[in-house]
């Protein structure tokens, strides 16, 4: 295949732009379209035949799962590679996506290397990528990694999130992935959408259990923030929250949750 038609579906503009740039860098000959919700995506798929679909899970209009189900109901999309790009990594969500016909998962946050590797894997299986395209993508990944590492050995990949949470500040709420959690503090990752918590601001952390229930709301304050990547355009930001709650019941619930995700 000399030209790839790729569709990116995500309600976050920054993510759409970043994924589009990653794909175009790895596959210069590709044509990449982007949609901000599932309904726009299904309309686009009726007008253009895409070779691979990169879709978020949580979106307005239609969820990623609903887009996947619609895609597999279309004769011309029954076997098209569908990559779910999402922070939803809980077992129940994974099973639903597998049952609906998803090809692979990519957890947020992710690097360009991880995204391109998933694309190459999905397309190579069906022979959609020529050996030259695979070699070009591999070369780009090596060069990109060398630039970022400055010639040093590759660093460790980001650990799998330990769950999802909501970070409620005085005037806004952020959905986030939990990276580290103890009885004293939590480190979460939020999308860079041009707005951030305020340092030392009082916050409440609502942690979502695998069952969908909430752990007791934990009070704390923003201890620190740091860009995940050394760039002004970092896609994600690390936020550390120091807990100030000493409620016995809350701490008991939190202890059980920590034990369940180890």
């Amino acid at each position: 295949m000399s030209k790839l038609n790729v569709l990116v579906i995500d309600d976050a503009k920054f993510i759409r732009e970043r994924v589009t740039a990653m794909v175009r860098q790895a596959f210069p000959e590709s044509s990449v379209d982007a949609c901000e919700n599932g309904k726009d995506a299904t309309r686009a798929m009726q007008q253009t035949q895409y070779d691979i679909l990169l879709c978020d899970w949580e979106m307005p209009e239609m969820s990623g799962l609903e887009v996947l189900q619609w895609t597999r109901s279309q004769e011309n999309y029954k076997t098209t590679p569908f990559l779910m790009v999402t922070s939803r990594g809980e077992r129940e969500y994974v099973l639903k996506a597998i049952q609906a016909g998803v090809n692979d998962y990519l957890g947020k946050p992710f690097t360009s290397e991880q995204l391109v590797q998933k694309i190459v894997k999905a397309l190579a299986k069906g022979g959609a990528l020529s050996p030259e395209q695979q070699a070009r993508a591999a070369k780009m990944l090596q060069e990109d990694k060398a630039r970022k590492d400055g010639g040093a050995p590759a660093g460790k990949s980001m650990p799998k999130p330990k769950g999802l949470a909501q970070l409620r500040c005085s005037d806004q709420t952020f959905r986030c992935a939990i990276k580290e959690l103890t009885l004293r503090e939590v480190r979460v990752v939020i999308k860079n959408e041009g707005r951030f918590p305020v340092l030392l601001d009082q916050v409440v952390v609502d942690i979502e259990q695998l069952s969908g229930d909430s752990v007791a709301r934990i009070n704390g304050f923003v201890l620190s923030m740091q860009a995940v990547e050394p760039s002004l355009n970092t896609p994600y930001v690390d936020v550390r929250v120091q807990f100030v709650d000493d409620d016995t019941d809350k701490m008991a619930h939190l202890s059980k949750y920590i034990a369940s995700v180890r």
Side-chain angles (χ1 to χ4, degrees), residues 21-42:
M22 288 177 176
V23 174
R24 286 176 174 161
Q25 182 184 6
F27 309 99
E29 72 285 0
S30 63
S31 173
V32 186
D33 293 332
C35 296
E36 65 178 341
N37 62 61
K39 286 190 175 180
D40 286 348
T42 57

Side-chain angles (χ1 to χ4, degrees), residues 7-260:
L7 181 60
V8 178
I9 313 161
D10 199 299
D11 59 317
K13 180 181 178 181
F14 183 83
I15 299 298
R16 294 196 303 272
E17 292 176 346
R18 183 167 183 264
V19 172
T20 297
M22 288 177 176
V23 174
R24 286 176 174 161
Q25 182 184 6
F27 309 99
E29 72 285 0
S30 63
S31 173
V32 186
D33 293 332
C35 296
E36 65 178 341
N37 62 61
K39 286 190 175 180
D40 286 348
T42 57
R43 283 192 287 266
M45 281 187 272
Q46 292 175 59
Q47 297 173 4
T48 303
Q49 183 65 38
Y50 293 99
D51 301 302
I52 187 167
L53 310 168
L54 312 175
C55 187
D56 186 23
W57 186 294
E58 295 182 308
M59 299 182 296
E61 305 295 338
M62 287 176 72
S63 69
L65 180 62
E66 291 171 328
V67 175
L68 173 60
Q69 292 168 334
W70 180 90
T71 300
R72 293 304 183 232
S73 71
Q74 307 302 304
E75 190 63 35
N76 59 325
Y77 277 108
K78 285 187 180 298
T79 60
T80 301
F82 193 110
L83 179 60
M84 197 75 81
V85 185
T86 177
S87 57
R88 284 290 190 185
E90 299 97 323
R91 177 180 172 82
E92 61 179 289
Y93 287 93
V94 174
L95 289 176
K96 286 179 181 179
I98 291 174
Q99 291 168 354
V102 76
N103 292 87
D104 208 343
Y105 251 85
L106 180 60
K108 296 180 180 180
F110 56 87
T111 64
S112 59
E113 291 90 348
Q114 291 168 333
L115 176 66
V116 174
Q117 285 169 358
K118 292 284 188 179
I119 292 175
V120 170
K121 178 183 176 183
L123 292 174
K125 281 184 177 180
L129 280 183
S130 68
E132 292 78 12
Q133 288 174 317
Q134 294 185 47
R136 189 184 303 121
K139 181 179 179 182
M140 184 279 295
L141 289 173
Q142 292 175 349
E143 292 175 347
D144 191 45
K145 183 176 291 187
R147 268 197 311 274
K148 290 181 179 179
D149 296 343
K156 295 181 179 178
S157 59
M158 278 197 177
K160 182 180 179 181
K162 296 182 181 296
L164 299 175
Q166 288 193 14
L167 183 63
R168 293 193 286 117
C169 305
S170 56
D171 59 349
Q172 54 192 330
T173 299
F174 301 88
R175 285 195 60 79
C176 46
I178 301 171
K179 307 307 292 185
E180 294 179 3
L181 179 63
T182 70
L183 291 175
R184 302 186 62 181
E185 67 175 45
V186 63
R187 181 165 71 90
V188 300
V189 177
I190 64 172
K191 288 182 181 180
N192 177 3
E193 296 181 327
R195 58 190 183 92
F196 309 98
V198 177
L199 195 64
L200 300 181
D201 194 13
Q202 293 184 342
V203 297
V204 177
V205 182
D206 296 333
I207 302 173
E208 299 177 9
Q209 296 190 64
L210 300 184
S211 63
D213 298 328
S214 293
V215 173
R217 295 170 174 82
I218 312 297
N219 296 292
F221 66 90
V222 178
L223 185 63
S224 67
M225 291 186 290
Q226 181 178 357
V228 170
E229 295 183 4
S231 166
L232 290 173
N233 294 322
T234 178
Y236 299 97
V237 174
D238 261 331
V239 181
R240 285 181 63 198
V241 174
Q242 181 77 44
F243 294 142
V244 296
D245 246 320
D246 57 3
D247 184 284
T248 303
D249 289 337
K250 289 184 181 182
M251 291 301 103
H253 283 300
L254 187 58
S255 294
K256 291 180 180 178
Y257 181 85
I258 293 173
S260 70

